Amino acid sequence: MNRCTAAITAAASSGEEADPTPLAIDSSARRFTIAAEATRYMVRSVPPLPVLHHDAVLAAVTPDDAIEQVRRGFCRHHSGEWSMPAKVYLPSPPFGDFRAMPARGDGFALLKWITSFPSNPASGLPTVQGLICLSDADTGTPLMILDARSVTALRTGAVAAVAARALARSDARSVGVIGCGLHGLWAARCLRAAGYEGGVACDPRPDAARAVADELGGAVGDRTEALACDVVCCVTPGTVAIVERPDLRPGLHLNMLGADGPGKAEASVHAVAACTLFCDEWDQAVHGGELTGAVAAGLVGRDAVRDLGSVLAGVGGTGAGRADDEEITLFDSTGLAIQDLAIAAAAYEAWQAGSVPAQTIEL
């Protein structure tokens, strides 16, 4: 069998179709051109891919939709209907790290490739950058590419609202936001959509604090004033503990959103150990979240922490996250690919419905 015939036979037996480009083959001093025979084995290219840029993602999914989709994603993952392998970190010292985050559910598969480069703003670049590829889980066909920065901000804000609804006191209303970057802004925006309003925004950047305060219908204030609110969201880089044991008081709910990798923490280990604890996923939180230090110090064990998915699914009781109004609850959010999948799938469906336009690319 000569090489051209072998190539066609191999393509046919593998289930793939060969490139129709004419092949010039030199065999035994003779040159053969194969064209027509190969055309029926033409490789199908990836269909034109819709691409949603930052603003298009935020236009495609409202805060209310994001909250509901993220809540649903947690429940589907808890029930085993959605799967999510562990997040992979690729350090790029001393600058930051890359993260690869896969998930699958409801006929979709997703891979998120995103960064955390804390010194980027000094160069005029975002700390968080990346993209998401959404594929058909049945065929593997790529369906859409989305800006990862906007998806991350939207699902981070949404999970703050989901956790507050599940874990804060039923009469909680005011919100304190410590750290008023992009994720702090979206936490405020989603909490306002969830029915919380008023409170205090705290950030060393006055303009950033004012923008978040405006979202809350609240005021700019200091750390102590923010911690006096009913629900407190900490959304800092996680390099310094900003919540200490004396800051805690009965009835407080804390959303710890900034510690999303090894070595980060926004609360001291003694403050963490004094709370009733919840996390998005134990395996991820214990090696790169708010719980990591307290677990390493022997102050917190697995039996002291409940997954948010189990609370939302009502496992182990009525589903109420807190036992009474005096409890101090803390939710450790490290960021899950199932949350990204929930938002990306909603954005794709909004595009399919004609609610938002998209750019297209061909591969």
Side-chain angles (χ1 to χ4, degrees):
M1 182 184 298
N2 64 33
R3 284 185 292 168
C4 62
T5 305
I8 294 173
T9 302
S13 63
S14 70
E16 297 185 359
E17 297 174 340
D19 193 322
T21 304
L23 303 176
I25 298 176
D26 191 358
S27 176
S28 302
R30 291 179 299 171
R31 184 174 300 276
F32 298 90
T33 301
I34 306 300
E37 294 89 338
T39 56
R40 58 195 180 97
Y41 299 107
M42 185 183 300
V43 174
R44 292 181 186 143
S45 62
V46 174
L49 276 174
V51 179
L52 293 186
H53 58 68
H54 179 276
D55 292 349
V57 170
L58 300 181
V61 185
T62 68
D64 284 330
D65 288 341
I67 292 166
E68 174 54 27
Q69 293 305 320
V70 166
R71 184 202 65 79
R72 178 175 167 273
F74 270 98
C75 292
R76 304 281 267 188
H77 181 245
H78 179 77
S79 70
E81 297 172 78
W82 286 19
S83 62
M84 182 184 65
K87 181 189 299 187
V88 176
Y89 289 88
L90 177 64
S92 183
F95 310 108
D97 63 77
F98 296 87
R99 302 163 192 197
M101 302 170 63
R104 178 178 57 81
D106 282 6
F108 295 106
L110 169 145
L111 179 63
K112 178 180 178 181
W113 179 245
I114 196 157
T115 66
S116 177
F117 280 55
S119 62
N120 269 8
S123 303
L125 296 171
T127 299
V128 175
Q129 301 178 89
L131 55 85
I132 287 170
C133 179
L134 186 69
S135 297
D136 186 310
D138 297 332
T139 66
T141 303
L143 298 175
M144 175 173 276
I145 294 174
L146 305 94
D147 167 63
R149 184 168 175 258
S150 53
V151 171
T152 302
L154 190 52
R155 57 88 149 155
T156 300
V159 81
V162 170
R165 280 179 169 173
L167 305 174
R169 297 191 327 265
S170 60
D171 64 347
R173 288 296 175 269
S174 64
V175 176
V177 178
I178 303 175
C180 298
L182 181 64
H183 292 177
L185 180 68
W186 275 95
R189 192 165 287 165
C190 289
L191 282 161
R192 184 73 179 267
Y196 298 88
E197 62 180 329
V200 175
C202 173
D203 195 284
R205 299 163 297 176
D207 290 346
R210 171 48 57 194
V212 170
D214 289 345
E215 289 287 344
L216 294 172
V220 173
D222 61 23
R223 185 190 72 94
T224 301
E225 291 170 321
L227 285 167
C229 295
D230 300 328
V231 174
V232 176
C233 296
C234 296
V235 205
T236 73
T239 54
V240 177
I242 55 174
V243 180
E244 301 286 352
R245 179 65 183 87
D247 295 317
L248 304 179
R249 54 186 170 71
L252 174 65
H253 172 66
L254 292 162
N255 281 328
M256 311 304 287
L257 305 170
D260 60 350
K264 294 184 176 183
E266 297 183 287
S268 70
V269 295
H270 295 289
V272 171
C275 298
T276 301
L277 299 172
F278 304 84
C279 68
D280 49 14
E281 190 199 45
W282 168 260
D283 289 341
Q284 191 162 290
V286 78
H287 76 73
E290 201 62 50
L291 301 178
T292 306
V295 171
L299 300 176
V300 171
R302 179 66 182 99
D303 58 351
V305 184
R306 289 183 65 188
D307 292 342
L308 180 60
S310 69
V311 175
L312 298 172
V315 175
T318 63
R322 61 169 52 236
D324 56 56
D325 286 348
E326 298 299 301
E327 267 191 316
I328 305 165
T329 52
L330 182 150
F331 171 59
D332 180 9
S333 174
T334 58
L336 304 183
I338 57 164
Q339 298 166 245
D340 299 307
L341 176 58
I343 300 299
Y348 177 73
E349 288 164 2
W351 169 75
Q352 280 193 313
S355 301
V356 64
Q359 306 171 64
T360 58
I361 61 171
E362 293 189 10
L363 301 180

